[in-house]
Amino acid sequence: QVQLVESGGGLVQAGASLRLSCSASGFTFSTYTMGWFRQAPGKEREWVSSITSSGRYTFYADSVKGRFTISRDNVKNAVYLQMNTLQPEDTATYYCTASYATTGNYDQELAYDYWGQGTEVTISS
């Protein structure tokens, strides 16, 4: 069965770094665009970053551009989000997601087919 499992979240101070991991199984990982979304308490889920199936292209929300880096390993069926210079505004539950096909709407939830359960990231000031 399809499964996406996130890990790597935790509590860190502003300015610190974290690396989130997502382990995928149950589908042909190397043919899927992968993405990360996040949701803060009381707020709607928002798109953070995406990476195309081969890893050739990456995309970032303006709020994280220059600080976060998305990557993938198609042998390990894993996608990562390296988060540097973390800020309190980054506090949220982070979700890994997979899309069979996207046509430029990679920043919208409707483009994605599978979702993980999320990993919590808390940044203290």
Side-chain angles (χ1 to χ4, degrees):
Q1 294 185 345
V2 171
Q3 191 170 23
L4 297 173
V5 181
E6 303 95 335
S7 61
L11 171 63
V12 297
Q13 295 187 68
S17 298
L18 282 173
R19 190 180 80 148
L20 305 184
S21 298
C22 174
S23 178
S25 60
F27 63 100
T28 308
F29 179 82
S30 62
T31 68
Y32 279 68
T33 290
M34 300 298 296
W36 289 93
F37 283 72
R38 66 187 183 186
Q39 187 169 28
K43 304 194 72 174
E44 294 186 348
R45 188 175 294 175
E46 66 174 345
W47 171 74
V48 175
S49 183
S50 297
I51 185 167
T52 55
S53 58
S54 68
R56 183 169 297 177
Y57 301 102
T58 58
F59 310 92
Y60 300 93
D62 288 343
S63 58
V64 307
K65 193 171 298 181
R67 298 188 298 119
F68 290 12
T69 303
I70 190 171
S71 61
R72 67 189 295 158
D73 186 334
N74 284 353
V75 175
K76 295 183 176 180
N77 284 9
V79 62
Y80 309 96
L81 187 67
Q82 178 66 45
M83 307 186 295
N84 297 329
T85 319
L86 284 162
Q87 303 168 11
E89 293 77 20
D90 297 316
T91 294
T93 298
Y94 284 71
Y95 297 89
C96 175
T97 187
S99 174
Y100 176 71
T102 61
T103 55
N105 61 342
Y106 47 80
D107 60 339
Q108 300 179 32
E109 292 186 43
L110 57 85
Y112 295 88
D113 302 291
Y114 310 128
W115 294 81
Q117 293 181 307
T119 185
E120 188 171 325
V121 172
T122 303
I123 314 302
S124 62
S125 60

